[in-house]
Amino acid sequence: MPLDASTLSLTVVVLAVAVIGLGVWLAILHRSAARMRSRLRRVLSDTGTAGLDEVLDGQAKRMELLTSRVDGLNALERELEASTRLSLQKVGVVRFNPFQDSGGDQSFVIALLDQGGTGIIISSLHGRAESRIFAKQITNGRSTHPLSDEEQQAIRAALQ
């Protein structure tokens, strides 16, 4: 079945318009992809000139470096946490007057304890003629030596 000249010319025009339309669409897609690559390079690269594979490889290396640094910081944090458990963290101070004939609360008790309630308690008794200082070991908030009411109060204050 032969086609007449008008049908052929119409077919050629339609095909030409379709080819032009596809060419425009291809140009738009190419431009969009180029802009997207350019944006990715700017976001992911320091210089903006590296290829996408190089940029992604650089980012992967940075992630590995950051992971190792975070692991190192976590180890340091665990080490510091372990050492601070033994440091003096809790302090309780009580001032009092042990003798009725002297004025003011010149005597005191200081409880110096670590996180677990272990440390020392220092008592100072101030009198008119002399002052005395006592130290007692504290383990888990308790002492093997008898404690005065003020010393027990200082331990309670430190543990709170």
Side-chain angles (χ1 to χ4, degrees), residues 83-156:
S83 69
T84 58
R85 283 189 203 119
L86 303 176
S87 66
L88 295 178
Q89 297 180 13
K90 301 175 180 187
V91 177
V93 177
V94 175
R95 293 179 58 104
F96 62 99
N97 183 5
F99 307 112
Q100 298 299 328
D101 61 343
S102 64
D105 292 339
Q106 300 299 317
S107 297
F108 63 88
V109 175
I110 299 175
L112 303 169
L113 307 175
D114 65 7
Q115 186 178 16
T118 299
I120 62 170
I121 192 159
I122 299 171
S123 301
S124 171
L125 298 177
H126 178 72
R128 284 187 183 195
E130 63 184 352
S131 291
R132 295 184 180 195
I133 297 176
F134 304 96
K136 297 177 185 175
Q137 184 176 355
I138 305 297
T139 305
N140 296 325
R142 305 213 186 291
S143 176
T144 57
H145 304 284
L147 297 175
S148 69
D149 292 340
E150 292 82 7
E151 290 169 332
Q152 291 174 2
Q153 184 180 356
I155 291 172
R156 281 192 305 273

